[in-house]
Amino acid sequence: MGTIVYYTTGILLAFVALFIFLERKFPYTKGLSFFREGFWLDLVWYTFIQSYFLKILIFDYIIQPLDVKFHWSSHLVTSWPLAMQILFFLVTHDFYIYWFHRLQHTSKFFWRTHEAHHSNKKVDWLAGSRSHTIEIIINQTIEFAPIILLGANPLVVPIKALIDAVWGMYIHSNINVKSGKLQYVINGPEMHQWHHANDRRVFWANYSTKFAVWDWIFGTAFLPKEEKPSEFGLYYEYPKDYFAQHAFAVKRFDENKLLEKKPVKDYYELRPRLIKWLTRTFKIATGKKITAEDSNKETMINLDKVEYQN
């Protein structure tokens, strides 16, 4: 089992490199910076930290205890070929995701668990990683519990997780894809970039993840031929901090007013100050000269602003 994880991780990193290259070569939205606003938030907090801890929570503290307590495990799909098992769980879970995603956009309660995913004002290969903790717990429990409880081949979990990750990066990627009639079946950036647009026409459209056919069948497809979104993100102000984003789902507040309070301001400035301290420490340790610019107060203020935006 450990070997397959090495393979899937390597394939995933290869696709990351591919998407980054294609975004530079064939951009959907021209001029999008690689280190766009929110890049480090999405990479560090959502991709690494949140994903790591939620994987442990979902598998070790939700799915496994349910299996032990209720003995739900069966061997319903055990005898199926591996490819058939993967296809079965891909299609059934994607069908569920379409309807749950649709519910999130029509329910005030569930929208609170989904709005973080739409808060990026720039959409690229990494933007899809931004999802509220509750949303991930619900979707991944419903995704992986049946795989384990129905007796699927253990290889299904890492292979499906790889497909999910690659497909998630693909549909959010800033790549100017023209897939023609294939877009009626397979979802891609053409429709999903529109789904993230700050445009009322698509707030109730393009819910599909992997298979666009759900949108075409159930009348929620939106794909204008010669038009592209002019703006992305939410139509209202949304916090830029990871913990503030989760708190915002419970209680609405003005982030700028919070920053007027010293403890909050100190917390927001902690990361940029830590980065500056580490930079200075590294230069001292390596014998490099600390320039006047490094000690300039205005530089520190500007750094704080940049880091706060990220």
Side-chain angles (χ1 to χ4, degrees), residues 49-76:
I49 299 176
Q50 177 173 281
S51 295
Y52 176 78
F53 284 104
L54 288 188
K55 178 184 176 183
I56 296 172
L57 173 65
I58 292 166
F59 282 89
D60 297 349
Y61 293 95
I62 297 179
I63 298 177
Q64 187 176 357
L66 284 174
D67 186 25
V68 171
K69 183 174 179 61
F70 297 103
H71 306 287
W72 286 343
S73 290
S74 71
H75 299 282
L76 185 65

Side-chain angles (χ1 to χ4, degrees), residues 233-246:
L234 300 169
Y235 59 88
Y236 50 88
E237 289 298 317
Y238 192 75
K240 295 180 175 64
D241 175 73
Y242 174 81
F243 295 103
Q245 289 175 356
H246 280 72

